[in-house]
Amino acid sequence: MRERIIDCGNGFWNIRGSFKLGGLIEIGTQASLVRLSDGRFVMLDSYTLSPDLLAEVDTITGGRANVVAVVNLHPFHTLHSEAMQRDFPDATHYGTPRHVRLFPKLKWGNLTSNDPALWAMFAPDLEFTTPDGIELIPANEKIHCGSVLAYHPASGTIHVDDTFNYRPPRSEGKSGKLGVHPTLSMALEKRAGAASAFRDWGAGIVTRWNGAERLCAAHSGVLTPKRLGTTNLSDAMRDALAGAEKKLARHERKYS
């Protein structure tokens, strides 16, 4: 995976990084840099930036001191937390409760990244959400469906780790598809109404974020309608949610 920064326009840069599953299989990872309307910058997620990438970030921001916050969005993406705090010591770092628990010696902000009070601090430049009806931090650490999603309206960019992911085409010349993370069934809360809550949440973000033009996925890169074989991103998200319907229906039958 070639480390690089992709300019998505209007104050949003997606940083593509390397992550090898089991130390062998390259699946990639990401962080994003966002310019707020007041000229300050926020980093979404953490990544250990090479000297070249750090220099590029400095050029974009006018100096790392202008990065005022780092918001970690996925509870199980924690490998780069220490490096990020080292490289951005002037920023306030926010993590999920799992980040804070795993790294108690690091300096964390008073709010966690899944707290709506934190989200309000960056409005209207950024919008955040967590999926309803599923566990954000399940006891089974292989269940990665839950995360905090971020949307930057100015660039029409959604940043998401794992909740939505990319399914490569099965044959040459075909388009890949957007899907809900395969651990959805296990991530759903074990109660009646959880599937309905997730379904309603999905329909809600498709409506609210219908101006989105691209989706930056942790392990798949920058996904556009063309890459996904749709006319717009809303259709791709709607199709992904429809593809999860069998799992939601099974859950409803089980907990009815």
Side-chain angles (χ1 to χ4, degrees):
M1 177 70 68
R2 182 172 66 87
E3 297 179 324
R4 64 198 187 280
I5 298 179
I6 300 171
D7 187 351
C8 296
N10 293 324
F12 194 101
W13 295 263
N14 186 239
I15 302 168
R16 305 311 308 176
S18 174
F19 175 66
K20 293 183 178 180
L21 193 64
L24 297 172
I25 303 172
E26 179 66 73
I27 62 172
T29 191
Q30 72 172 346
S32 290
L33 180 65
V34 183
R35 184 178 60 234
L36 303 177
S37 55
D38 62 7
R40 300 177 303 157
F41 290 82
V42 171
M43 191 75 76
L44 303 176
D45 282 329
S46 292
Y47 183 66
T48 304
L49 299 170
S50 67
D52 287 345
L53 288 184
L54 278 171
E56 194 170 346
V57 168
D58 285 340
T59 298
I60 292 169
T61 61
R64 269 169 271 171
N66 293 320
V67 178
V68 296
V70 177
V71 185
N72 292 280
L73 300 177
H74 197 295
F76 295 102
H77 290 191
T78 60
L79 292 177
H80 302 280
S81 298
E82 293 173 298
M84 207 66 161
Q85 294 213 9
R86 178 197 68 217
D87 291 336
F88 295 87
D90 297 317
T92 302
H93 294 253
Y94 300 97
T96 67
R98 186 173 184 270
H99 285 85
V100 177
R101 174 169 56 83
L102 287 182
F103 300 100
K105 294 183 179 180
L106 295 182
K107 187 178 180 181
W108 298 104
N110 293 329
L111 301 171
T112 56
S113 51
N114 57 311
D115 190 333
L118 174 65
W119 305 348
M121 291 169 53
F122 302 109
D125 296 302
L126 286 166
E127 300 176 17
F128 297 92
T129 185
T130 53
D132 293 331
I134 68 174
E135 295 182 87
L136 178 64
I137 311 174
N140 183 344
E141 298 195 349
K142 294 182 179 180
I143 301 173
H144 287 194
C145 190
S147 68
V148 183
L149 288 76
Y151 177 50
H152 182 240
S155 65
T157 305
I158 298 172
H159 177 112
V160 58
D161 299 319
D162 294 3
T163 302
F164 288 98
N165 56 21
Y166 179 67
R167 298 173 182 173
R170 294 182 179 180
S171 59
E172 189 175 350
K174 300 292 185 180
S175 300
K177 300 295 182 183
L178 196 65
V180 176
H181 196 270
T183 60
L184 171 64
S185 295
M186 295 182 287
L188 286 164
E189 295 169 345
K190 296 173 177 55
R191 63 173 178 87
S196 179
F198 180 82
R199 186 185 292 116
D200 292 345
W201 167 83
I205 64 165
V206 168
T207 299
R208 293 197 309 276
W209 295 355
N210 65 354
E213 299 174 5
R214 67 190 61 81
L215 185 148
C216 298
H219 308 304
S220 311
V222 178
L223 304 177
T224 60
K226 182 178 180 180
R227 187 174 173 188
L228 296 169
T230 59
T231 56
N232 57 68
L233 192 62
S234 293
D235 286 345
M237 294 177 68
R238 193 176 291 109
D239 290 346
L241 292 161
E245 189 55 40
K246 288 183 179 179
K247 293 180 179 180
L248 298 177
R250 282 198 299 268
H251 188 278
E252 285 180 323
R253 291 194 295 270
K254 183 175 181 179
Y255 290 96
S256 61

